[in-house]
Amino acid sequence: MSYTKRITSLIILDSIIVFIAIYFSYFTFIPDFHIFKLPMLLVTSLALLIFHHFFALIYKLYNKSWKYASVSELIAIIKAATFSVAGAALVQNLVYHNRFIRVLMFTWMLHVLLIGGSRFSVRIIRDGYISHQESVKRTLIIGAGSAGTMVVRQLQHNAEIELKPVVFIDDDPTKHKLDIMGIPVIGNSSRILEAVEKYKIENIIIAIPSLSKKELNRIFEECIKTNAKTQIIPKLEDLMTGKIAVSHFRDVQVEDLLGREPVELDISKISKYVSEKTILVTGAGGSIGSEICRQIAGFLPKKIVLLGHGENRIYDIDLELRNKYKFEIVPIIGDIQDRIRMFEVMEEHKPDVVYHAAAHKHVPLMEFNPREAVKNNIFGTKNVAEAAETYGVHTFVLISSDKAVNPTNIMGATKRFAEMVIQLIAKNSKTKFVAVRFGNVLGSNGSVIPLFKKQIQLGGPVTVTHPEMTRYFMTIPEASRLVIQSGALARGGEIFVLDMGDPVKIVDLAKNLIRLSGYTLDEIGIEFSGIRPGEKMYEELLNKSEIHSEQIFPKIHIGKARPINSESLSELLEQLLYMSDPELHDTLVEVANNKSNITLSLANMW
């Protein structure tokens, strides 16, 4: 219906209601048909009609969407009716010096009842239609607080969301047995399974945005006992900033069940060393590197240099950042093993901060390709670090791994060597060199989550190496925050480690992912394939000799490795270089015979 037709219809309807209300009221108290001819009744009804339309315009009764009518609309109707009847009483008193109080009070009651009924009937019909739709899924809301009531309101008002709230669950005993927006609160989370069976629930929504990871785990364990689909509302910060509406439900992710609260950043410290600075990120197209770029971009640096070996990934992150930010972004295709190229890049852009995320990190793959692991992880890091020192970089952050602690595989050993290389350079350098150690990153390239998801999509089974194998896990944003925060805390030579909570069994991670994908363990199945070359049953984040009781930042620990013998490390690096690339080794030896400082020689030569 057009706006003009809608307004005209409402005015005609209200006019009829006004006359019915006042004439019926008079007839109720004076049951005589002759009263309809009384001039006083005619004057009063016309006055009431004029006042009603006047106050209807004042309180916008003709501009409201009545299919979403609620308490605020009812209050507007009461105000309009009250002032209209008061105006009619004033006219009676001025013209006839008399007021029929009881008649006018009854008129007011009918006025509110009929006007309100005409409006709210639209919502009643609409809600009745929605509740009888066959496609609507009966929904259990966990959390009867402000977020839960917002969810119910959204579901009741939005016909496009095919979910019907049926019952609340809340752990607050003061809310039990209450009705909130017509929805009963039947008990605490221990009754989830009972509620699903009793009320034939098809969908569960966890509507507690401030819920801790531990509590979410507990509630989710109850939810997966049912066959109902479990979803969760957006995070509290997304709701507060308006990025996502409360009705944007999403499936529970493995990241939600880590059982650890996210690390908060010291924004002021990060801003001081990042804002209006030139930042270089190696491996900028990778999972961690690209996320570092995204988070750094939020601090508005002067320039970000995106360095990577794969052109497609560098193109993607370059395009993404250019679409959001106006500062200078420089995409560079280059290999960290190319020492000449690294010095060229440092000389041209002279970054203030370098985040070194480029590395070979796949454990079994590096067991088959040890030479490449050495060339990339050790000498690639050495190239970037020495170039950074030569051109006066203020802070250099190496991304390391928990596999560098007591390494049993090539990847872990090369990462430990990389840590020792930057600690050796840091001894006589003005550049602050630090390493950041963390565990497995959920969702990153080469991690178990993408592999498990692919296996589930193919119908299973999910392959796990050993039922007792454990790992520390963190999300990509958490890993990136740790790297950025560590740069702000750097003094030189430290190894920063995130407090990653308790290690997680890989088999438990697989079980949760199967359930989150909507399958049972019987449908997909889990097979144990045996420990792969180079793998450990469990991993550590710090060696006993590296542990410091000091916690330099909430949930971030600091450790220092044992003193490094410079001569021994240099000899070992020379042997490794010869084994990995004999030709390059011979070139470096020839240069070193003419110049005492290899780094200076190479810088001058190139």
Side-chain angles (χ1 to χ4, degrees):
M1 188 181 294
S2 68
Y3 177 75
T4 304
K5 288 183 178 179
R6 181 174 176 274
I7 293 294
T8 304
S9 301
L10 286 173
I11 289 173
I12 293 172
L13 176 63
D14 284 6
S15 299
I16 294 170
I17 288 173
V18 166
F19 282 116
I20 289 174
I22 192 164
Y23 277 94
F24 184 78
S25 298
Y26 269 88
F27 187 78
T28 300
F29 288 96
I30 309 172
D32 186 348
F33 286 101
H34 291 93
I35 63 171
F36 295 115
K37 298 178 182 180
L38 292 176
M40 184 183 67
L41 182 54
L42 180 61
V43 170
T44 304
S45 61
L46 289 173
L48 182 62
L49 182 63
I50 292 169
F51 280 119
H52 169 78
H53 290 311
F54 175 75
F55 287 109
L57 291 172
I58 293 293
Y59 293 106
K60 299 181 180 180
L61 298 188
Y62 300 140
N63 299 93
K64 295 184 182 295
S65 178
W66 293 103
K67 63 182 179 181
Y68 302 124
S70 61
V71 174
S72 62
E73 282 75 20
L74 179 60
I75 292 172
I77 290 171
I78 292 173
K79 287 180 178 178
T82 302
F83 290 122
S84 298
V85 172
L90 181 62
V91 170
Q92 274 190 349
N93 189 60
L94 291 174
V95 177
Y96 298 103
H97 306 289
N98 194 9
R99 296 182 305 277
F100 292 86
I101 301 300
R102 288 190 302 167
V103 173
L104 290 174
M105 288 179 64
F106 192 53
T107 301
W108 176 88
M109 185 179 68
L110 287 177
H111 197 150
V112 172
L113 183 63
L114 294 175
I115 296 292
S118 68
R119 301 317 198 258
F120 280 85
S121 61
V122 178
R123 175 174 172 179
I124 292 169
I125 293 169
R126 175 187 168 279
D127 290 350
Y129 166 73
I130 292 175
S131 64
H132 288 92
Q133 281 183 293
E134 293 182 1
S135 60
V136 172
K137 296 179 180 178
R138 297 172 65 82
T139 303
L140 165 66
I141 311 295
I142 299 178
S146 56
T149 54
M150 286 173 66
V151 168
V152 170
R153 187 177 292 111
Q154 289 280 341
L155 296 182
Q156 290 178 339
H157 289 177
N158 194 341
E160 295 178 1
I161 303 176
E162 297 180 344
L163 301 175
K164 178 188 176 183
V166 175
V167 67
F168 273 118
I169 285 287
D170 198 289
D171 286 332
D172 183 356
T174 62
K175 295 177 182 175
H176 295 171
K177 298 184 180 180
L178 295 178
D179 268 29
I180 300 175
M181 301 184 69
I183 309 298
V185 184
I186 64 164
N188 59 29
S189 52
S190 64
R191 299 188 61 187
I192 290 175
L193 178 60
E194 176 191 341
V196 169
E197 294 175 351
K198 181 178 179 180
Y199 293 93
K200 299 179 181 178
I201 299 297
E202 301 171 81
N203 217 76
I204 299 174
I205 295 175
I206 302 174
I208 313 175
S210 58
L211 197 65
S212 68
K213 297 290 181 72
K214 185 177 180 181
E215 285 299 302
L216 178 59
N217 256 306
R218 182 183 62 80
I219 290 174
F220 182 73
E221 285 297 321
E222 294 297 320
C223 292
I224 60 176
K225 294 176 184 177
T226 73
N227 292 322
K229 181 179 180 180
T230 302
Q231 293 181 296
I232 191 170
I233 65 172
K235 296 178 182 178
L236 186 60
E237 55 266 29
D238 292 332
L239 293 176
M240 292 177 67
T241 57
K243 291 180 181 178
I244 302 177
V246 71
S247 59
H248 286 195
F249 313 122
R250 63 177 178 84
D251 294 338
V252 180
Q253 304 292 332
V254 174
E255 291 88 339
D256 297 317
L257 306 176
L258 275 178
R260 182 182 65 257
E261 300 309 308
V263 176
E264 298 298 329
L265 296 177
D266 186 339
I267 303 298
S268 60
K269 276 191 176 182
I270 293 173
S271 295
K272 286 180 182 177
Y273 93 103
V274 169
S275 298
E276 293 300 319
K277 300 292 196 304
T278 297
I279 312 297
L280 186 148
V281 181
T282 70
S287 306
I288 301 299
S290 60
E291 183 62 25
I292 289 173
C293 293
R294 292 184 191 98
Q295 296 202 23
I296 285 293
F299 293 97
L300 300 179
K302 178 183 177 181
K303 176 169 66 175
I304 290 185
V305 181
L306 310 172
L307 175 64
H309 193 221
E311 60 175 336
N312 292 331
R313 290 182 178 177
I314 292 296
Y315 171 80
D316 289 339
I317 186 63
D318 176 51
L319 186 64
E320 179 185 332
L321 295 180
R322 287 181 189 277
N323 288 334
K324 292 182 180 179
Y325 302 100
K326 300 300 181 183
F327 54 76
E328 186 179 0
I329 300 169
V330 183
I332 293 179
I333 304 302
D335 190 339
I336 60 172
Q337 296 181 43
D338 186 344
R339 186 177 179 87
I340 299 174
R341 182 66 167 144
M342 294 303 102
F343 274 77
E344 287 176 347
V345 171
M346 293 291 178
E347 182 180 22
E348 180 181 356
H349 297 284
K350 292 185 173 57
D352 299 288
V353 182
V354 172
Y355 296 104
H356 181 45
H360 288 327
K361 62 179 184 179
H362 199 278
V363 172
L365 202 58
M366 291 305 101
E367 290 299 300
F368 291 106
N369 299 275
R371 178 180 293 180
E372 295 305 314
V374 169
K375 287 162 62 177
N376 200 70
N377 293 358
I378 297 178
F379 292 103
T381 298
K382 187 171 182 287
N383 292 338
V384 179
E386 291 182 340
E389 186 204 19
T390 300
Y391 291 102
V393 170
H394 183 269
T395 305
F396 182 100
V397 183
L398 165 69
I399 297 180
S400 189
S401 166
D402 56 357
K403 295 172 180 61
V405 183
N406 298 323
T408 59
N409 52 64
I410 295 297
M411 197 284 277
T414 57
K415 278 295 189 181
R416 179 65 192 120
F417 264 107
E419 291 178 357
M420 290 191 290
V421 165
I422 67 162
Q423 286 179 313
L424 180 62
I425 298 172
K427 284 185 176 181
N428 302 305
S429 176
K430 293 180 180 180
T431 300
K432 296 178 181 179
F433 286 93
V434 295
V436 183
R437 236 181 238 171
F438 44 74
N440 296 267
V441 180
L442 288 171
S444 64
N445 298 323
S447 69
V448 294
I449 298 299
L451 173 63
F452 286 170
K453 285 182 176 179
K454 189 176 291 185
Q455 291 175 335
I456 292 169
Q457 287 173 355
L458 295 173
V462 171
T463 56
V464 178
T465 52
H466 192 282
E468 296 301 320
M469 181 169 284
T470 62
R471 290 291 182 269
Y472 290 100
F473 283 101
M474 66 192 309
T475 64
I476 292 175
E478 280 180 308
S480 303
R481 289 190 194 111
L482 174 62
V483 172
I484 295 168
Q485 186 67 65
S486 298
L489 300 171
R491 295 177 183 174
E494 301 99 336
I495 296 174
F496 293 103
V497 183
L498 175 65
D499 180 0
M500 300 185 69
D502 298 323
V504 177
K505 281 190 176 182
I506 303 295
V507 68
D508 291 340
L509 194 67
K511 289 176 181 178
N512 278 336
L513 197 58
I514 291 170
R515 290 163 178 160
L516 288 170
S517 301
Y519 299 98
T520 64
L521 297 181
D522 293 334
E523 290 175 314
I524 298 298
I526 295 177
E527 286 187 1
F528 297 102
S529 57
I531 298 176
R532 297 176 297 182
E535 283 190 323
K536 294 195 290 187
M537 285 290 292
Y538 64 93
E539 288 171 347
E540 309 139 285
L541 292 171
L542 281 172
N543 191 301
K544 288 182 180 179
S545 63
E546 298 175 322
I547 295 174
H548 282 200
S549 58
E550 174 189 10
Q551 193 179 67
I552 196 168
F553 190 79
K555 298 188 179 180
I556 296 181
H557 296 279
I558 182 174
K560 283 186 178 287
R562 288 170 292 183
I564 300 168
N565 186 310
S566 303
E567 293 181 2
S568 299
L569 181 60
S570 298
E571 290 177 7
L572 190 51
L573 285 172
E574 187 175 340
Q575 293 173 18
L576 286 171
L577 181 60
Y578 182 78
M579 288 187 290
S580 62
D581 197 333
E583 291 183 7
L584 179 59
H585 171 268
D586 294 340
T587 302
L588 292 177
V589 169
E590 183 180 347
V591 174
N593 289 333
N594 300 321
K595 303 281 187 178
S596 59
N597 188 312
I598 292 179
T599 302
L600 181 60
S601 301
L602 289 170
N604 291 335
M605 179 180 177
W606 294 320

